[in-house]
Amino acid sequence: MLFLIVIAATVVVTRDLLKATMLFAIYSLVIAGFFANLDAGDVALTEAAVGAGIGTVLLLAVLSLVPRYEHRHAGHSLPALVIVTITGAALVYASFDLPAFGQPGNPVHQHLAPYFIEQTYADTGIPNLVAAILASYRSIDTMGEAVVILTAGIVVYALLAAPPRQRRRHGKQDRS
Amino acid sequence: MRNNAILLVVARFAIPLVMLFGLYIQFHGEYSPGGGFQAGVLFASAWILFVFIYGLDTGLRVIPQRVIYALAALGVLLYALIGLLGVFLGGRFLDFYPLLDAPKAAQQTGVILVELGVGITVAAVVMLIFLLFVQRRAATLAAGLDPDAADAVQDDRE
């Protein structure tokens, strides 16, 4: 846990984007280890494959298009700092009203979860609960996700299809 | 990177294993952790590793760009068509029970096919995004706009 906090703090502080990307990969890997420790195999696999693997590769691909070092912004906005602090404090205060973390009697565990845990195998014959819920009980949801992924691909295509020279010029005009 | 013997040997060993593991996760998703999304990502990562080692031209000869475009749409279409198949066989949209006589086998078949659709789409889109960034990098360099060089100029200005 301490390791995670140290990595996160370093990512915030560093100006070297390559270093930040690699630290993110390590962060994802550590988190994946935590999930595996908690017996959440699906989530651990996803975090390791997407967060540590593909996410890093795609971030590196982005880095091949932008300068390696982050530009330092001059000055800070004091009102923004105040607003963020107040909002954060309010959220922390609101979290005291939540039921105690991880208790079996919490409302979230009372309605659907017992049904899924008890009935999924009888309904579908699929041993992996997560896969059954994703693909069978909530398959329209998952179809929406597939469409979202396709849309993401199309959007990246649309963004990168513009010729580079013109976009650069626009950027320079904005900066000057 | 063709001259780097260690990378070549390790990649030749690792790429088939990663692809095999991706297929295992794809088709074993109902029994063990995994499913279409993770499998698609793994499969795409194997292809990206292949591109790192052998270059983009070879990678595009294995899976042409048009095929990637087609696969991205095909996965979603497969998903939706399985849903519509349930409608034509007398059920509701994405109802897997009409597909086969035995209800559990029908559910499993439906889930496997639907997850295959997700896997195809995810793999194709991840490959596509990577491919687009690589081509964009090449186009930027060809236009004489090296981002690192631009960075050096700006540092001088500061």
Side-chain angles (χ1 to χ4, degrees):
Chain A
M1 229 18 179
L2 192 69
F3 197 43
L4 285 183
I5 295 172
V6 170
I7 296 174
T10 320
V11 168
V12 172
V13 169
T14 185
R15 277 184 70 214
D16 187 346
L17 295 177
L18 182 65
K19 204 200 273 176
T21 308
M22 297 331 274
L23 283 172
F24 261 130
I26 299 170
Y27 188 86
S28 290
L29 210 57
V30 175
I31 287 248
F34 271 120
F35 284 138
N37 225 359
L38 293 169
D39 272 345
D42 280 278
V43 192
L45 188 60
T46 313
E47 184 67 43
V50 178
I54 285 296
T56 310
V57 172
L58 291 184
L59 279 177
L60 288 178
V62 175
L63 271 184
S64 72
L65 291 182
V66 298
R68 178 171 164 180
Y69 292 97
E70 196 178 353
H71 295 298
R72 203 179 288 281
H73 293 289
H76 298 281
S77 170
L78 195 63
L81 182 69
V82 171
I83 290 172
V84 165
T85 311
I86 291 175
T87 313
L91 286 175
V92 170
Y93 178 70
S95 74
F96 292 143
D97 280 346
L98 290 175
F101 183 70
Q103 295 298 311
N106 286 351
V108 66
H109 299 305
Q110 295 302 316
H111 302 292
L112 279 173
Y115 175 82
F116 281 136
I117 291 171
E118 286 160 15
Q119 297 295 321
T120 296
Y121 190 74
D123 279 353
T124 64
I126 294 171
N128 184 0
L129 197 63
V130 180
I133 291 175
L134 278 181
S136 185
Y137 286 111
R138 314 195 57 182
S139 48
I140 296 181
D141 221 78
T142 310
M143 188 174 96
E145 284 166 21
V147 175
V148 165
I149 292 166
L150 178 63
T151 314
I154 295 171
V155 167
V156 171
Y157 182 65
L159 281 175
L160 294 185
R165 188 176 281 273
Q166 288 182 348
R167 281 190 43 152
R168 278 283 159 153
R169 263 191 209 141
H170 284 302
K172 270 177 189 165
Q173 279 171 359
D174 288 345
R175 226 175 285 143
S176 59
Chain B
M1 270 183 226
R2 279 163 204 268
N3 299 323
N4 199 327
I6 297 174
L7 267 180
L8 267 181
V9 171
V10 171
R12 261 181 210 166
F13 181 71
I15 290 173
L17 272 184
V18 174
M19 287 198 159
L20 195 64
F21 188 56
L23 288 178
Y24 169 78
I25 292 210
Q26 173 78 60
F27 292 108
H28 211 256
E30 326 87 71
Y31 297 102
S32 57
F37 190 83
Q38 293 91 331
V41 169
L42 274 172
F43 210 80
S45 67
W47 183 77
I48 289 175
L49 183 60
F50 184 85
V51 169
F52 276 160
I53 303 294
Y54 293 98
L56 188 63
D57 294 335
T58 323
L60 282 182
R61 222 175 295 147
V62 178
I63 306 177
Q65 197 161 354
R66 279 188 199 167
V67 176
I68 296 180
Y69 291 143
L71 281 179
L74 196 75
V76 176
L77 280 180
L78 176 66
Y79 201 123
L81 284 180
I82 298 298
L84 283 180
L85 196 62
V87 176
F88 287 131
L89 293 175
R92 285 164 293 176
F93 186 59
L94 285 171
D95 187 359
F96 302 142
Y97 287 119
L99 295 180
L100 287 174
D101 287 335
K104 286 190 178 179
Q107 279 290 337
Q108 285 187 346
T109 316
V111 168
I112 287 176
L113 287 173
V114 155
E115 290 275 345
L116 186 61
V118 175
I120 292 173
T121 295
V122 170
V125 167
V126 170
M127 286 193 270
L128 179 66
I129 292 178
F130 178 74
L131 174 69
L132 288 172
F133 271 108
V134 172
Q135 288 175 343
R136 174 79 181 190
R137 162 87 172 172
T140 315
L141 288 183
L145 294 161
D146 189 5
D148 293 319
D151 189 42
V153 170
Q154 270 168 8
D155 280 349
D156 289 346
R157 224 181 283 158
E158 284 171 2

